[in-house]
């Protein structure tokens, strides 16, 4: 059964047709790699799918924790941001951690924003940092970590709330291949353990190899490449 399903998405920026009828289906717990040339619309697709960017037309259906079908484009901004905060996790190319906070405070932040007590939030954050093998940098600020450590902190932050879907846009794009593999291994292992689905945008076949399935985007249109690994 599908967890997230987009159909007929179009999105233009001025005269650029970034999406031209793109669709994608994500099933519960699967890791899907979104591939395609630069400028083909991968990030735009991910942003529409995650309710960050409203498409010009088309629909995005999400089945929430209670099993209710929700249509993202018909929700208001408040409902969409609530959905993102409670059911989705995000990892971008450059961690986008808060520079003034320690790594531990960064990972605890989504829980604090949901109203959890500091002690409980930091305990959960520590646990995730250990799983991502970054507990050693807990008290450092993001600027004092390596690129690979920073991305693993960002992955811990994405996972700490127990999301149903992780959206990752080129999470290894700024890392060397060894660190990239480590991030991918830990991200996909954690996602499989928790049952989170992963929508992974990447250029790199080596990164896509961690997925169950690939979707190729070309000129704003997407095509499922169904094959079992
Ligand atoms: N905010 C924006 N304003 C104007 N044009 C945009 C904007 N975002 C994307 N575009 C354009 O839409 C098209 C698709 O962009 P998108 O970022 O989705 O591509 P991509 O497949 O993610 O590329 P890359 O692999 O380089 O990240 C491109 O032509 C891009 O220039
Ligand atoms: Mg992109």
């Amino acid at each position: 059964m599908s967890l997230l399903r987009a159909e007929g998405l179009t999105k233009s920026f001025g005269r650029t047709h970034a999406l031209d009828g793109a669709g994608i289906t994500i099933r519960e717990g699967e890791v899907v790699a979104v591939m395609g040339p630069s400028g083909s619309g991968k990030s735009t697709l991910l942003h529409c799918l995650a309710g960050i960017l409203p498409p010009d037309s088309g629909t995005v259906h999400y089945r929430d924790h209670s099993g209710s079908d929700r249509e993202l484009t018909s929700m208001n901004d408040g409902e969409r941001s609530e959905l993102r905060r409670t059911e989705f996790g995000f990892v971008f190319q450059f961690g986008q951690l808060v520079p003034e906070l320690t790594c531990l405070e960064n990972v605890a932040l989504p829980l604090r924003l949901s109203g959890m007590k500091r002690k409980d939030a930091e305990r959960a954050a520590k646990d995730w940092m250990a799983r991502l093998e970054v507990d050693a940098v807990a008290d450092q600020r993001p600027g004092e970590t390596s690129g690979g450590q920073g991305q693993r902190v960002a992955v811990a932050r994405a996972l700490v709330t127990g999301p149903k879907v992780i959206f990752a846009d080129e999470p290894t794009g700024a890392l060397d291949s060894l660190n990239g593999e480590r991030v991918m291994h830990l991200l996909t292992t954690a996602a499989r353990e928790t049952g989170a689905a992963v929508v992974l945008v990447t250029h790199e076949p080596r990164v896509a190899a961690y997925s169950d399935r690939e979707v190729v985007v070309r000129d704003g249109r997407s095509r499922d490449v169904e094959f079992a690994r």
Side-chain angles (χ1 to χ4, degrees):
M1 200 158 57
S2 75
L3 180 65
L4 193 56
R5 193 179 74 253
E7 284 172 330
L9 295 182
T10 66
K11 181 75 187 177
S12 297
F13 299 102
R15 281 189 294 180
T16 305
H17 301 299
L19 293 180
D20 181 21
I24 189 169
T25 299
I26 309 293
R27 292 182 284 264
E28 206 163 317
E30 70 175 350
V31 180
V32 178
V34 177
M35 310 221 24
S38 181
S40 58
K42 302 181 297 296
S43 294
T44 306
L45 175 61
L46 181 134
H47 293 155
C48 290
L49 205 54
I52 295 172
L53 193 69
D56 296 335
S57 65
T59 55
V60 181
H61 286 269
Y62 175 68
R63 187 162 45 77
D64 73 11
H65 62 276
S66 66
S68 310
D69 182 277
R70 318 268 306 270
E71 209 283 294
L72 267 64
T73 61
S74 62
M75 291 163 71
N76 65 37
D77 288 350
E79 291 169 328
R80 258 197 309 274
S81 65
E82 166 78 8
L83 182 76
R84 284 199 302 270
R85 193 167 57 73
T86 55
E87 310 237 345
F88 298 165
F90 296 91
V91 185
F92 297 102
Q93 184 171 354
F94 302 101
Q96 301 192 345
L97 299 165
V98 181
E100 294 82 9
L101 300 180
T102 66
C103 289
L104 180 68
E105 288 166 343
N106 266 282
V107 177
L109 188 61
L111 296 174
R112 296 283 291 144
L113 293 174
S114 307
M116 192 183 278
K117 287 204 188 90
R118 174 183 291 270
K119 215 172 120 201
D120 297 333
E122 294 197 345
R123 189 180 306 122
K126 269 196 182 122
D127 185 46
W128 272 108
M129 292 185 83
R131 292 172 76 168
L132 273 300
E133 301 172 2
V134 279
D135 34 339
V137 299
D139 298 326
Q140 287 164 232
R141 294 185 202 281
E144 300 161 350
T145 68
S146 72
Q149 286 168 337
Q151 281 307 75
R152 283 182 281 126
V153 172
V155 172
R157 182 186 57 180
L159 284 157
V160 76
T161 55
K164 297 287 284 174
V165 191
I166 308 273
F167 295 94
D169 196 350
E170 313 223 19
T172 64
L175 303 178
D176 62 61
S177 59
L178 202 64
N179 274 301
E181 299 258 342
R182 195 166 172 204
V183 166
M184 284 313 302
H185 172 72
L186 291 165
L187 168 62
T188 51
T189 302
R192 292 203 159 101
E193 279 172 14
T194 60
V198 181
V199 184
L200 168 70
V201 171
T202 185
H203 278 111
E204 302 168 70
R206 222 217 293 243
V207 171
Y210 283 87
S211 69
D212 300 312
R213 192 158 67 78
E214 289 177 15
V215 171
V216 177
V217 183
R218 273 186 213 290
D219 301 328
R221 290 172 172 274
S222 49
R223 184 167 58 87
D224 270 292
V225 185
E226 291 276 1
F227 61 88
R229 287 198 189 280

